Amino acid sequence: VSADSRRFVGTAWLVAQWSLSELLWAPRTLAMIAIAAAPLGLALLYRIAAAFRIGEASSGYAAFSAIVAGASLPFVAPMISLFYASGVVSDDVEAGTMPYFVTRPSTRASFLAGKMLASYLMTALLLLVSLTAAFYVAVAPAGWDEIGARFGSLVRDLWVAALGVLAYNGVFALTGTVLRRPLLTGLFFIFGWQAVATFVPGAIRYLTVAHYLHSLMPHRALGGGIARLVGDRSSALVSVAALLAIAAATHVLAVRVFQRKELR
Amino acid sequence: MMKSSRWALLLAVGTVGAGVVAGAIARFSATGLAGRKGAALEWAPASTSLVGHLDVRALSKSPLAETWSEAVKGQGVTTAEEIREATGIDLWKDVDAITVSITERTEDDNRNRWGLSVDGAFDAEAAAKKLVTARKDVAVEDYQGAKIYRLSAASRDSADVAMAVVGPSTALFGEPSYLREMLDVASGRKPSASGVVESWGFGGFAEDSFWVAGKPSKALRAVVGRGAEIPSLQAFALSGRLASEVSLRLRGKAADAASAQKLADLVRGFVALGRLQMGPTASNPELGTIAESVQVELAADRIDISLTVPYETIRKLSERRPKEAAGPAER
């Protein structure tokens, strides 16, 4: 490992730690916690409905499946990622602190890498905590055996969520690096492009992150119906490879753009 | 990084870690595949009226395996042989556990609705390919992200059978519409039989090598029913452990405490009759030995019968059956 690489990693890690501290106590984190808590809230609502026998009876795992497939992965994950990752550049530009960072003895690449790592860790932690808590609220009352039986699904949800957030982090970090107003574009990507393209027959759905997440999800509450309408899911191997490729390409591109970007 | 930030991150990581560790303990704390009651019921729909689970690995390691193979020799276990011929999966060699669920016929639906989930050390994809190659009449359809291989009925008396590959070494077999229902259960679209078995009042199958639980069929209700002035049985569970001897436990849920009492009296009567068979001069001393081990417990509307059967007794009983069958012809 060359000295340059060690310096790059060391600087990026320092920036990530500092940025993580900033993000943890930033006012927007309260709003993000509220969004991340939505699946947990839905699981609690399910429990209350089940206790009072409101609505159609279903198992706790069925409720958890619906929450993950209908809320956590399609909306909560990209929303949190959008609000953190799109600000990797614009936050410091708007605060006027960017010139100080890029004039310090650190490369632009290591600075942005650290910022993107911090935004990824923040998003992933919020989402994974929310998924774990929702799982136990929904499934645990059915007993220890049921937890054991559904454990495989929880593990798969966690790594699929972590992988999906990595792809979203790259997409939104790139958007935040290229565009001056990345939030609007990001919201269009989530609620416009992905929401429509996933349902449209043909190859267009391959240009979304959501398609590969649906393909990897153990739950088929939404994916099954959609798959029947627009065609097969992608295989697990293709989906993992596609998400990793999206993540790698967007993160690298974001760094490249940032290195050439004129910052004011 | 600030101390408070570290604590916040540690709390988040700890929450996820604790959730994963607890789940892993729940998954692996049960001994053997039969211990995974929840997993066994992972595919069984809530509409099931009878569900059973067999830890094939435990059975194959027990002395019962030899007795079993001798007993079925030449009799042909049709379904097992059909599956082996069609897919290459040998139910007795390649399989770790089998769970079967059956939904009783109704007046509206006169079909036999059944399904099997099979876990083991076989290549499920290869089995499916063999099925498609071997049988020209296989129709393939996609459902819930899984491929269903449907085999047309061989004769007018038999029904269509379907297979689905749902994991590297997990396959489902069953009546086609029932198999779709099983996939719905796995995807979370429909509730599993887990809650149903609990509603019957049974559980605690963690240590059992095999178990079956259900509502009594119409045929059984005709025997153990109100009409015959015998207490009505609402649900039952039979479970067994293969240790140094076979421990069996039969639990029943009666309509009320009085019915349970009558049922217990009936069982005690049979046990008393069985005990008369004890001794070397008795015509059936093995039954007497079994009857001696029977314990009947009663709690409100629940009856709990436990007994132990030595492997030697099972072997003798299985040897005697063919002799008795051959007896009249010899005479």
Side-chain angles (χ1 to χ4, degrees):
Chain A
V1 183
S2 68
D4 281 351
S5 303
R6 276 204 301 274
R7 200 177 305 121
F8 175 86
V9 173
T11 311
W13 181 239
L14 276 175
V15 172
Q17 287 186 61
W18 162 78
S19 182
L20 206 51
S21 284
E22 292 288 305
L23 291 176
L24 266 173
W25 310 111
R28 93 176 69 156
T29 294
L30 272 180
M32 293 305 104
I33 289 172
I35 293 174
L40 181 61
L42 289 170
L44 284 168
L45 274 178
Y46 160 75
R47 275 284 136 230
I48 293 165
F52 290 99
R53 299 179 188 280
I54 302 166
E56 198 181 329
S58 66
S59 70
Y61 178 70
F64 175 70
S65 295
I67 290 166
V68 174
S72 291
L73 292 188
F75 298 113
V76 175
M79 281 291 282
I80 305 173
S81 190
L82 171 66
F83 279 94
Y84 282 126
S86 65
V88 288
V89 173
S90 60
D91 283 358
D92 289 308
V93 170
E94 281 169 16
T97 49
M98 184 58 86
Y100 303 107
F101 291 118
V102 293
T103 50
R104 286 170 68 92
S106 63
T107 61
R108 283 188 175 200
S110 60
F111 172 77
L112 191 67
K115 292 280 283 184
M116 290 191 297
L117 177 62
S119 80
Y120 171 69
L121 289 175
M122 237 356 249
T123 311
L125 278 178
L126 278 176
L127 188 67
L128 300 194
V129 168
S130 152
L131 279 174
T132 309
F135 175 82
Y136 279 95
V137 168
V139 177
W144 189 243
D145 287 336
E146 182 73 354
I147 293 173
R150 305 301 184 184
F151 172 66
S153 168
L154 171 68
V155 170
R156 185 154 177 162
D157 281 331
L158 293 180
W159 75 254
V160 168
L163 190 59
V165 165
L166 187 66
Y168 280 127
N169 192 63
V171 170
F172 295 130
L174 178 62
T175 317
T177 311
V178 174
L179 302 174
R180 196 172 275 272
R181 297 270 179 270
L183 271 181
L184 273 178
T185 315
L187 287 172
F188 169 76
F189 180 80
I190 299 166
F191 295 101
W193 175 250
Q194 288 215 124
V196 173
T198 317
F199 292 89
V200 174
I204 201 164
R205 65 184 186 279
Y206 298 121
L207 298 175
T208 65
V209 174
H211 167 73
Y212 303 106
L213 284 178
H214 278 307
S215 300
L216 286 173
M217 254 193 288
H219 319 287
R220 287 146 189 168
L222 279 178
I226 294 165
R228 277 204 305 281
L229 284 173
V230 299
D232 275 345
R233 296 164 165 222
S234 295
S235 71
L237 189 69
V238 168
S239 302
V240 170
L243 288 172
L244 285 174
I246 292 169
T250 48
H251 281 105
V252 169
L253 209 57
V255 170
R256 293 268 182 245
V257 172
F258 185 63
Q259 282 174 320
R260 287 164 179 75
K261 194 176 173 79
E262 191 182 337
L263 298 164
R264 287 172 194 165
Chain B
M1 192 183 276
M2 287 189 299
K3 216 174 199 177
S4 50
S5 301
R6 282 199 184 139
W7 279 112
L9 289 175
L10 206 64
L11 183 69
V13 174
T15 306
V16 178
V20 171
V21 169
I25 291 170
R27 180 79 175 191
F28 300 111
S29 59
T31 53
L33 284 163
R36 287 161 45 194
K37 192 204 88 184
L41 295 171
E42 195 172 6
W43 307 98
S47 65
T48 190
S49 49
L50 187 84
V51 60
H53 183 83
L54 172 65
D55 186 340
V56 183
R57 206 189 289 171
L59 178 67
S60 65
K61 284 179 185 167
S62 77
L64 215 55
E66 200 183 324
T67 314
W68 173 275
S69 63
E70 285 296 321
V72 300
K73 198 179 274 179
Q75 293 180 18
V77 185
T78 319
T79 309
E81 283 177 1
E82 277 176 7
I83 289 172
R84 188 172 56 77
E85 275 175 26
T87 63
I89 299 172
D90 187 329
L91 288 184
W92 308 118
K93 286 181 183 167
D94 304 333
V95 171
D96 291 336
I98 300 173
T99 304
V100 60
S101 56
I102 298 166
T103 298
E104 199 178 7
R105 293 179 191 199
T106 60
E107 284 174 8
D108 303 328
D109 190 352
N110 199 30
R111 289 172 302 169
N112 278 318
R113 306 195 71 231
W114 63 277
L116 283 174
S117 70
V118 181
D119 286 291
F122 54 84
D123 187 340
E125 287 287 351
K129 277 180 190 161
K130 186 175 188 307
L131 182 73
V132 174
T133 316
R135 296 278 299 255
K136 302 295 174 204
D137 59 340
V138 178
V140 185
E141 61 177 282
D142 286 313
Y143 188 75
Q144 294 289 332
K147 278 197 164 45
I148 295 180
Y149 303 88
R150 186 177 178 143
L151 281 81
S152 305
S155 67
R156 207 177 276 179
D157 299 331
S158 56
D160 288 3
V161 179
M163 173 192 176
V165 175
V166 289
S169 56
T170 306
L172 305 181
F173 298 89
E175 187 268 324
S177 69
Y178 198 73
L179 197 118
R180 280 192 212 102
E181 209 174 324
M182 290 168 86
L183 290 169
D184 285 338
V185 172
S187 68
R189 294 178 75 203
K190 285 187 178 174
S192 80
S194 182
V196 177
V197 174
E198 276 163 27
S199 76
W200 291 336
F202 304 121
F205 296 120
E207 303 292 327
D208 295 319
S209 309
F210 59 88
W211 55 265
V212 58
K215 292 185 290 187
S217 66
K218 280 174 191 162
L220 187 60
R221 277 201 296 271
V223 179
V224 191
R226 288 265 186 218
E229 292 186 0
I230 298 173
S232 68
L233 190 65
Q234 306 233 309
F236 69 94
L238 170 69
S239 52
R241 293 177 193 182
L242 303 174
S244 56
E245 357 177 71
V246 181
S247 308
L248 292 171
R249 188 180 178 199
L250 178 61
R251 287 173 284 173
K253 183 186 172 194
D256 48 44
S259 302
Q261 180 66 56
K262 284 180 188 171
L263 196 57
D265 291 342
L266 185 76
V267 174
R268 286 185 184 118
F270 278 118
V271 171
L273 276 175
R275 281 179 180 157
L276 290 176
Q277 299 284 329
M278 285 201 70
T281 53
S283 61
N284 211 341
E286 289 82 18
L287 284 182
T289 315
I290 296 170
E292 189 66 11
S293 72
V294 174
Q295 288 184 325
V296 182
E297 284 177 28
L298 196 63
D301 60 349
R302 310 263 166 171
I303 180 167
D304 195 333
I305 304 161
S306 55
L307 62 148
T308 52
V309 188
Y311 291 110
E312 184 60 18
T313 306
I314 296 172
R315 192 183 59 76
K316 282 181 181 168
L317 283 172
S318 66
E319 278 173 2
R320 178 177 293 180
R321 225 174 46 176
K323 279 181 198 164
E324 282 170 0
E330 283 166 10
R331 269 178 242 141

